[in-house]
Amino acid sequence: MMRLKLRGLVEGACNARPLLALAGPLNLYGDVDPELGVYRPAGVSISGRVLIVRSFVGSTVAPYVAYALRRRGLGPCGVVVEDVDGVAVASAVLGGFALAKADRGQLAALLAGVRRQPGPCLATLVSRPPGAELAVSCRARPPDA
Amino acid sequence: MYLTKLEERMLSGEMGEAVRIAMKLLVSVGEALGAERLVPIAHAHVSGVSYDNIGRYGLEFLESLAASGARFAVYTTFNPAGVALGVDAPINTPERVAMQARILRALVRMGARFTATCAPYRVRRPRFGEHLAWGESSAVAVANTLFGARTNREGGPVALAAAIAGRTYYWGLHLDEERVPDVRVRLQARVRSELEAGLVGFIVAKHYPSSKPYVDRFPSDERLVISLAAAGAAQGAIPMWFLEGVSPEARPPPPGAEKLEVKRDDLVAALEEVSCANPEDAEVLFLGCPHYTTADLERAATEALAALRGLKRVREVWVAAPPSSAIRLKEALLRALAGRGPRVRVLPGACVVVTDRGRLPAPIATNSVKTAIYLCKSGVPAALVGGAGALDEVKA
């Protein structure tokens, strides 16, 4: 179990949700299919998950994509970012997901740890601005089919 | 966050439900980011206008806001639509036209100028030091870089809220201390075309997606600055560039800032990386991202001729422009082509990036790095074209 104290930006709580750490920044408009809740570059679902992304980039239309995902019940549960701007916060407010900010470098050890795990990882993210906490636990082995 | 007496009344709902909702969004975003107060703005620019972007739920959001009595308190413009607003329109369907019309009607009902352009700086030129609340990431970077006006990248609904409230959260690029470059880019390639300018934007944003780069020796050509800004904001989230001799606030970054060299070979590699189609297969050439206006007649003609040189199969040239500039742009291109070559069609008030992209003819050739990035992401084959000589030689 790894725990991190973060800065809470938008309130929300996710209990033991699948963790998805994206390699780069996230452009909700283009990278995510709002009809399916799928992150296109990796072909994986973001629905109900806790995402770790470096930042929100690209289109300023992102909050509407977040809103559409929420109305379809396909949005993420929570997002942890390293760089934050108004597009990220507005996306969380309209998308109804928790948003927390990590300091630069704070996530490196966690991400390296997650990558070493053979099994899937679950994240518990509680964001109560101004504070937030992220706890991640990974299974030693992949679950049985 | 500190609020004036008036702002407290706005937030309490005393001035109507729409104003309350707008203030709630602005204060939420401002407090999350640590803003100390709000700041009055001179001009709001709303993004998230295309039905293909915001869909049924976005439409409902806008219509319910307009129906609740929301009115824009400041000068407000809005982004291109997903269908062309004119008779030349090549990709419209009746259902999409109807949905798009409802979005535009809601915006105009709230008091927006009928602009439908991603180049709001051509409709109303921002003044130095002025506070704005703009969506449209390319326009944000142009306002900060070229005019020394002050805006963050506002998410679509936040710019809408700022238009209703007449203010935005005082944070980020509204503050003097944030308007400082943090990366030094040494440009060692000639930049003469929109393609080359866009590739520089792509390269810098790929290495430093959320930076505020200083660039030495960038040409003082408004259209090239616009292409650079658009690519940097599509690949990354660059909100402001400091271009030596061009930007009113240009100054080198503090000592110790990271450095990036951009050479001609880097542009060639970036061209290959962004393109996802072969230009020789392209059926349509798309120009005007960001929108060309009547200030770009000569540039549009030059770019069209340069791009067409390598294209064998192109049947049509599509040009995106604000409705107010469409006719003169079409005339300029027809003159440049002198009756030869492909058919010219303008897309008034529209943009292919925000259309129903599944219906686009493909592959599409374009001189716009921003367009190629978004089309390729959506699975539409797109090829970059239009280097001013140097890049073409390398490719050949």
Side-chain angles (χ1 to χ4, degrees):
Chain A
M1 173 83 82
M2 296 166 273
R3 281 180 191 280
L4 286 178
K5 290 262 181 236
L6 306 175
R7 224 179 94 204
L9 297 175
V10 176
E11 190 167 326
C14 310
N15 190 22
R17 300 296 188 98
L19 178 75
L20 179 62
L22 304 182
L26 175 68
N27 188 347
L28 270 182
Y29 178 68
D31 284 349
V32 174
D33 183 336
E35 301 295 337
L36 300 172
V38 166
Y39 176 66
R40 289 186 176 119
V44 293
S45 168
I46 62 165
S47 304
R49 297 184 131 185
V50 172
L51 310 186
I52 294 183
V53 304
R54 187 167 159 189
S55 58
F56 279 58
V57 297
S59 177
T60 53
V61 166
Y64 283 118
V65 179
Y67 182 70
L69 285 166
R70 176 197 200 170
R71 294 288 299 260
R72 290 163 173 81
L74 295 173
C77 178
V79 177
V80 177
V81 292
E82 279 192 336
D83 287 324
V84 68
D85 73 354
V87 174
V89 178
S91 298
V93 171
L94 262 77
F97 55 80
L99 183 70
K101 182 187 177 307
D103 288 332
R104 213 172 258 283
Q106 202 183 356
L107 295 172
L110 183 140
L111 291 175
V114 165
R115 280 193 198 102
R116 278 197 303 272
Q117 299 293 333
C121 296
L122 296 178
T124 295
L125 173 67
V126 178
S127 175
R128 299 260 180 276
E133 191 176 272
L134 174 70
V136 175
S137 64
C138 301
R139 290 198 193 123
R141 277 177 302 172
D144 296 332
Chain B
M1 179 188 288
Y2 167 80
L3 296 179
T4 64
K5 287 251 170 4
L6 173 66
E7 287 163 355
E8 278 177 4
R9 287 171 53 206
M10 293 165 77
L11 184 60
S12 74
E14 208 179 299
M15 304 176 78
E17 180 60 9
V19 172
R20 189 191 68 79
I21 292 171
M23 284 292 287
K24 178 88 176 72
L25 184 58
L26 292 171
V27 170
S28 299
V29 173
E31 285 190 335
L33 296 172
E36 288 176 4
R37 63 180 174 92
L38 301 175
V39 62
I41 54 163
H43 177 176
H45 179 74
V46 176
S47 63
V49 169
S50 163
Y51 180 68
D52 288 282
N53 276 1
I54 67 173
R56 186 155 48 88
Y57 299 125
L59 166 61
E60 280 168 24
F61 183 80
L62 289 175
E63 283 189 336
S64 66
L65 211 52
S68 73
R71 293 298 174 264
F72 297 145
V74 292
Y75 187 95
T76 300
T77 50
F78 61 84
N79 238 15
V83 299
L85 311 174
V87 291
D88 229 6
I91 43 175
N92 292 352
T93 59
E95 191 235 344
R96 281 204 144 64
V97 170
M99 297 307 232
Q100 186 64 71
R102 282 171 61 184
I103 292 172
L104 301 185
R105 213 173 288 133
L107 289 168
V108 169
R109 187 172 170 195
M110 289 188 274
R113 314 269 157 162
F114 193 90
T115 41
T117 184
C118 48
Y121 39 83
R122 290 280 175 78
V123 182
R124 177 190 176 280
R125 285 178 89 82
R127 298 196 190 95
F128 182 81
E130 195 168 67
H131 294 281
L132 315 169
W134 283 11
E136 177 45 44
S137 52
S138 69
V140 167
V142 173
N144 287 309
T145 301
L146 208 48
F147 297 98
R150 300 183 168 212
T151 175
N152 293 311
R153 286 162 20 89
E154 303 283 23
V158 180
L160 196 69
I164 293 168
R167 55 206 80 212
T168 191
Y169 51 96
Y170 189 57
W171 179 85
L173 289 176
H174 291 285
L175 309 172
D176 288 338
E177 60 267 31
E178 291 293 325
R179 299 176 74 85
V180 180
D182 51 13
V183 178
R184 186 176 198 129
V185 178
R186 291 205 55 197
L187 192 53
Q188 296 187 319
R190 284 187 71 180
V191 171
R192 288 165 293 172
S193 65
E194 290 178 37
L195 171 66
E196 290 152 343
L199 291 171
V200 173
F202 169 82
I203 292 164
V204 177
K206 192 181 164 196
H207 287 91
Y208 301 101
S210 300
S211 61
K212 288 169 276 184
Y214 170 86
V215 186
D216 57 11
R217 300 186 319 145
F218 197 85
S220 145
D221 176 319
E222 187 164 311
R223 187 65 203 175
L224 299 186
V225 176
I226 291 169
S227 298
L228 171 87
Q235 174 63 26
I238 296 177
M240 180 173 190
W241 296 77
F242 294 81
L243 307 177
E244 182 189 18
V246 179
S247 306
E249 293 162 270
R251 57 190 152 136
E258 293 195 47
K259 292 189 179 75
L260 179 69
E261 280 194 3
V262 177
K263 304 194 187 103
R264 196 186 69 162
D265 289 354
D266 298 323
L267 299 190
V268 176
L271 185 143
E272 296 294 326
E273 188 179 344
V274 175
S275 292
C276 57
N278 186 343
E280 290 187 0
D281 301 331
E283 306 218 343
V284 167
L285 169 65
F286 172 70
L287 307 168
C289 171
H291 273 179
Y292 283 134
T293 69
T294 50
D296 304 307
L297 298 180
E298 257 178 62
R299 164 66 67 177
T302 314
E303 291 275 335
L305 290 173
L308 283 169
R309 258 189 281 132
L311 302 175
K312 312 237 174 350
R313 296 181 50 194
V314 160
R315 295 176 284 114
E316 299 193 350
V317 178
W318 291 6
V319 189
S324 55
S325 301
I327 291 174
R328 286 189 60 197
L329 263 163
K330 180 163 183 168
E331 288 168 354
L333 283 168
L334 288 173
R335 263 199 309 278
L337 296 177
R340 291 172 287 115
R343 174 177 180 189
V344 176
R345 299 177 97 162
V346 283
L347 310 179
C351 162
V352 302
V353 168
V354 298
T355 50
D356 179 4
R357 292 176 293 279
R359 301 188 67 248
L360 290 171
I364 287 186
T366 181
N367 62 348
S368 158
V369 171
K370 171 177 176 168
T371 301
I373 288 172
Y374 279 113
L375 290 185
C376 291
K377 270 186 192 216
S378 324
V380 179
L384 283 170
V385 291
L391 280 175
D392 297 332
E393 286 159 30
V394 174
K395 274 192 295 172

